[in-house]
Amino acid sequence: FHHWWEIGVVSLRRWGEWPLWDPHHCGGVSLWGQPQAQNFSPLYLFTAMPFGTTLGHKLYLLVHHVLGWSGLYVLARRHARVGRAGAFLAATVWTSSGVAVWDGAGGHSTFLAFQLVPWLLCAWREADRDVRYAVAVAALMTEILAEGGTYPLPYSVIVLAFDTVCRLRLATLGPIVRTGLVSVMLTVLLAAYRWVPVYIAMSRHPRPAEDNDAIDFLEVVEMWTSRSHDWTWPGHPWVWAEYGSYIGWGILLLTAIGIAEVVRGDSADGVPRRWLRGPQTPILLGALLFCAFSMGSHDWYWPFPLIAQRLPGIGNLRVPSRWQVVCTMYVALLA
């Protein structure tokens, strides 16, 4: 990614040309059709062009973590009815968790686009009330795609679909359908400058992938609680950077208390608590679902092979443990 960034800086600064072509890789390949290229993202232009590749990449990482922290804080306060201290904790835990740090520091700068997901969820929900927020949804989805979001984009679609199912009622059906139609139409049009060349390149040069890695729950706990680990993990095909999702035992204890509170349910107008009722219930369901996704391929009824591997494009994405970036967001909100 550093190499691609430098190509963009040299192309624009020295030659005044858009970096549509990478002449330094394999005798020359398309950079415009490279799905992970970040050279056409507004945030890339705002950081790389004034500050260069090295300092710009550091600022790029910092900007994303500020956006991720503030987005989850707002999501917790406005939509999950979490207090200020709890929202501060959730935002801090998620943006400094092992999965966020490893993905950003380990070279996958395209994974930084996951930090836009809380703002995307906020805009998606607000669009039911005011359809103008669909413009924000489309802008965020376009930015995620422009940042090379081969994982963040499809993962975000699944997160929005899950959130929609959780909120679906007869009274909300109309606004939700309107939000979906307007958001999809605007995203397809606004992001065409990226998805069209990427589609052309990938349809001509597909790279099918298959990953049957499976993780049990005790191993997930190890992922959450290991501050350090050997680079390899016996029994698994990838290095530890693909699994490390450290949040710590203290956060897991708070998460267990949060689960108990959600299960107790909510009360309104003097009515006693009703089991699993309240705005926090989708948070618990999201933590369970995406934790199961991150555990990879088990039996046919397991959520990852049952849902994720059957969706267009998702089946070609390797390393199911990367779903921890979504799971830990919900875990942080539970804590």
Side-chain angles (χ1 to χ4, degrees):
F1 296 107
H2 198 80
H3 164 80
W4 289 336
W5 269 51
E6 184 67 6
I7 289 172
V9 169
V10 171
S11 295
L12 287 164
R13 280 185 176 181
R14 186 179 302 172
W15 307 112
E17 298 175 349
W18 283 105
L20 305 180
W21 184 254
D22 177 0
H24 307 288
H25 182 73
C26 292
V29 294
S30 170
L31 199 59
W32 198 27
Q34 166 57 259
Q36 295 188 93
Q38 299 177 311
N39 309 76
F40 311 99
S41 153
L43 278 178
Y44 166 81
L45 297 175
F46 290 145
T47 52
M49 287 305 102
F51 302 103
T53 300
T54 301
L55 180 57
H57 233 146
K58 299 175 189 296
L59 293 172
Y60 187 79
L61 192 149
L62 178 62
V63 167
H64 277 84
H65 279 271
V66 170
L67 289 171
W69 193 97
S70 58
L72 195 61
Y73 183 89
V74 171
L75 182 68
R77 293 285 291 142
R78 180 168 293 188
H79 295 285
R81 294 210 327 234
V82 175
R84 289 190 179 92
F88 184 96
L89 176 70
T92 304
V93 167
W94 186 57
T95 53
S96 57
S97 66
V99 65
V101 173
W102 274 115
D103 287 336
H108 279 107
S109 64
T110 56
F111 278 52
L112 292 170
F114 278 115
Q115 300 293 333
L116 301 177
V117 170
W119 284 116
L120 181 63
L121 266 172
C122 287
W124 179 256
R125 289 188 171 193
E126 293 291 343
D128 292 350
R129 176 182 58 82
D130 185 345
V131 73
R132 289 175 294 181
Y133 278 93
V135 176
V137 173
L140 287 165
M141 292 292 274
T142 300
E143 175 62 23
I144 289 172
L145 178 61
E147 291 185 13
T150 48
Y151 280 83
L153 184 72
Y155 280 27
S156 296
V157 171
I158 292 179
V159 170
L160 294 183
F162 162 76
D163 186 73
T164 300
V165 170
C166 289
R167 296 185 295 110
L168 199 58
R169 307 286 188 276
L170 188 60
T172 62
L173 181 60
I176 285 176
V177 170
R178 180 192 63 185
T179 295
L181 290 175
V182 175
S183 298
V184 169
M185 179 186 67
L186 290 177
T187 302
V188 167
L189 294 173
L190 190 60
Y193 81 103
R194 286 305 295 133
W195 71 258
V196 170
V198 167
Y199 173 76
I200 292 171
M202 297 309 295
S203 61
R204 292 175 180 174
H205 309 282
R207 193 192 70 170
E210 185 176 346
D211 188 345
N212 295 315
D213 189 20
I215 303 168
D216 62 41
F217 185 69
L218 289 180
E219 289 178 319
V220 172
V221 174
E222 183 179 355
M223 291 161 58
W224 286 338
T225 56
S226 293
R227 294 175 63 95
S228 60
H229 199 280
D230 292 337
W231 189 241
T232 58
W233 200 14
H236 298 283
W238 308 104
V239 297
W240 179 249
E242 298 288 9
Y243 300 101
S245 310
Y246 179 82
I247 52 177
W249 285 107
I251 298 302
L252 287 184
L253 176 61
L254 291 176
T255 301
I257 297 172
I259 291 172
E261 279 296 301
V262 173
V263 171
R264 286 178 65 195
D266 210 352
S267 59
D269 301 325
V271 178
R273 285 179 176 266
R274 302 181 66 185
W275 189 68
L276 277 176
R277 295 293 179 88
Q280 297 86 12
T281 301
I283 299 173
L284 173 58
L285 297 177
L288 294 173
L289 176 65
F290 296 116
C291 180
F293 272 24
S294 74
M295 294 169 70
S297 300
H298 291 271
D299 289 316
W300 65 269
Y301 55 80
W302 202 255
F304 181 71
L306 185 64
I307 301 174
Q309 287 187 336
R310 286 170 167 77
L311 294 173
I314 301 291
N316 273 350
L317 297 181
R318 302 173 296 170
V319 200
S321 59
R322 289 172 175 172
W323 279 102
Q324 276 293 321
V325 71
V326 178
C327 172
T328 50
M329 181 180 74
Y330 287 97
V331 169
L333 288 168
L334 282 171

